[in-house]
Amino acid sequence: MLKSHEVLERGSFDAASVVDRVTIDLEDRRRRRLALEGEGGTSFLLDLPEVPSIRDGDGLKLTGGQIVLVRAAEERLLEIRADDTAHLVRITWHLGNRHLPTQLLGDRLRIRADHVIEQMVKGLGGRTSEVVAAFDPESGAYGAGPVHHHSH
């Protein structure tokens, strides 16, 4: 079975080397070890030394040198908007304080749909709408991987 031991950042590899693509959700893009099958039938084992934060558009380099392109799967999300930058920054702070994976899109945010957090956002003056879209949140601040958990 083919294996992938390396993640290549989007834009860092030749598109001509791409032999297949996989569409995977956020949880699977943060797994170190996972059996995958590309849309074109390429079966391989993702076998990374550390927990990754694989982003939409990254490549998984196979043992033979070929690359499988990664696409972020569409998920049910909440899109958050605010009247101005100050309100959006305040909402962002509260989401970060709860260690929620958050996608920053300039004038709006995206998080996984959650009715409790939605009520909090509305209480802070934000507006929400449900969307189905690829979810590509920010990586953790202290390394390339997902947000690190810690105690307070």
Side-chain angles (χ1 to χ4, degrees):
M1 175 182 253
L2 288 172
K3 291 186 180 183
S4 173
H5 300 291
E6 185 179 357
V7 178
L8 305 174
E9 283 189 31
R10 63 181 150 212
S12 71
F13 52 89
D14 183 5
S17 299
V18 174
V19 296
D20 209 338
R21 75 184 218 178
V22 290
T23 302
I24 49 181
D25 67 16
L26 178 63
E27 297 308 315
D28 282 347
R29 292 194 325 267
R30 291 187 172 170
R31 291 182 58 182
R32 186 182 78 71
R33 200 166 154 84
L34 177 67
L36 292 166
E37 183 171 340
E39 294 169 13
T42 305
S43 294
F44 64 100
L45 176 66
L46 180 64
D47 188 17
L48 300 170
E50 297 178 359
V51 175
S53 183
I54 302 170
R55 310 285 308 257
D56 184 63
D58 285 350
L60 303 175
K61 187 174 181 181
L62 301 177
T63 48
Q66 313 95 321
I67 296 169
V68 175
L69 183 67
V70 175
R71 287 291 172 215
E74 291 189 339
E75 302 184 43
R76 199 169 67 85
L77 307 171
L78 282 180
E79 192 161 270
I80 301 167
R81 295 179 184 268
D83 290 334
D84 55 38
T85 303
H87 281 98
L88 194 61
V89 167
R90 183 169 181 243
I91 291 166
T92 304
W93 184 89
H94 283 278
L95 297 173
N97 192 46
R98 286 158 181 79
H99 302 273
L100 293 176
T102 303
Q103 186 172 1
L104 309 177
L105 297 166
D107 63 341
R108 64 199 189 285
L109 309 169
R110 284 186 182 157
I111 61 170
R112 283 199 164 131
D114 179 316
H115 70 279
V116 172
I117 299 300
E118 182 177 17
Q119 292 307 311
M120 178 199 74
V121 167
K122 288 178 179 179
L124 293 168
R127 296 180 309 281
T128 64
S129 57
E130 285 193 26
V131 298
V132 175
F135 189 41
D136 201 20
E138 290 297 306
S139 296
Y142 299 104
V147 175
H148 296 281
H149 298 283
H150 63 269
S151 58
H152 292 271

